[in-house]
Amino acid sequence: MTHTLTEPAEDPIRHSLADDAQGIAYGTGMASFGILILTHLGLVTGQTAGLAVLISYATGWGFGPVFFVVNLPFYWLGYRRIGPRFMVKTLISVALLSGLTMVMPRWVSFADLNPIVGALLFGAITGSALLALFRHGASLGGIGILALYLQDKTGFRAGLTQLIFDACLFAVAFTFLDPVKVATSLLGAVVVNLVIAVNHRRDRYIAT
């Protein structure tokens, strides 16, 4: 029998509203902090967040509004393929991240941040943020929705799906951004996807 994210193979105790609230708060808070590190260093990343970063760099528009708009086409897939519960949680998560990235620079600043260390921190922080969201039946939209759907239906790891998309995005980034910064950014993206690929497995954890 095939099971979806909303129909687990077993019948564990479902996360409570408070459980989901703290998971989504942690995930969006840490993800916004990761974006702050990323943009402070002028780096890029993958997934729809990376697309929004590239658009923001190219146009001067704020990351938050761009990220929210970029994700709009993916909500239909989230609703039709994974379910309304997942879609609503994802919409809330995307909206929170969009808002937090607009205010986070007022709360946190860096006097000195090594680009390599920053890329590693971004990868670890963002990977843990995405894990928290995935394990509470949410994502940060876009490729995350597609990746979770493919993992649930085919067993193809969510992290690997994201890695393929990231490769295409970075190829574009190399055409108009500083190659050294793009290469440094790759380190962070690899860490994000490794954290997800190793830790987000249906045979080890079932999100409800």
Side-chain angles (χ1 to χ4, degrees):
M1 180 177 180
T2 301
H3 300 277
T4 69
L5 289 171
T6 54
E7 296 175 336
E10 300 174 1
D11 188 24
I13 298 174
R14 185 177 294 275
H15 286 137
S16 68
L17 182 61
D19 292 337
D20 286 340
Q22 67 81 30
I24 290 173
Y26 174 85
T28 55
M30 289 298 97
S32 65
F33 183 55
I35 292 295
L36 178 65
I37 293 173
L38 191 81
T39 54
H40 171 78
L41 293 171
L43 305 180
V44 296
T45 188
Q47 305 175 63
T48 48
L51 179 59
V53 166
L54 287 181
I55 293 172
S56 179
Y57 287 164
T59 64
W61 298 340
F63 168 85
V66 173
F67 180 68
F68 186 83
V69 171
V70 163
N71 277 291
L72 290 177
F74 293 92
Y75 294 124
W76 180 85
L77 176 62
Y79 177 80
R80 291 295 301 271
R81 299 296 190 179
I82 303 179
R85 183 184 178 91
F86 178 87
M87 185 273 292
V88 169
K89 289 180 181 180
T90 294
L91 177 59
I92 291 171
S93 299
V94 169
L96 283 173
L97 179 63
S98 298
L100 284 170
T101 55
M102 290 189 282
V103 299
M104 186 69 74
R106 304 175 191 173
W107 302 336
V108 181
S109 62
F110 304 98
D112 184 35
L113 182 58
N114 179 276
I116 299 296
V117 174
L120 291 171
L121 286 173
F122 164 78
I125 290 168
T126 304
S128 71
L130 290 170
L131 281 174
L133 293 170
F134 289 173
R135 291 181 175 184
H136 287 272
S139 78
L140 288 177
I143 300 306
I145 292 176
L146 178 61
L148 284 174
Y149 170 72
L150 290 176
Q151 177 170 286
D152 186 61
K153 295 297 184 181
T154 70
F156 192 77
R157 296 274 185 90
L160 295 179
T161 298
Q162 293 167 343
L163 190 60
I164 292 170
F165 179 83
D166 289 353
C168 297
L169 195 64
F170 275 92
V172 174
F174 269 113
T175 66
F176 72 95
L177 295 179
D178 176 60
V180 174
K181 288 189 175 182
V182 178
T184 304
S185 303
L186 281 168
L187 179 61
V190 168
V191 173
V192 172
N193 286 294
L194 283 175
V195 169
I196 296 170
V198 170
N199 293 283
H200 188 66
R201 292 177 51 176
R202 292 178 70 247
D203 58 338
R204 290 180 178 172
Y205 191 97
I206 301 172
T208 61

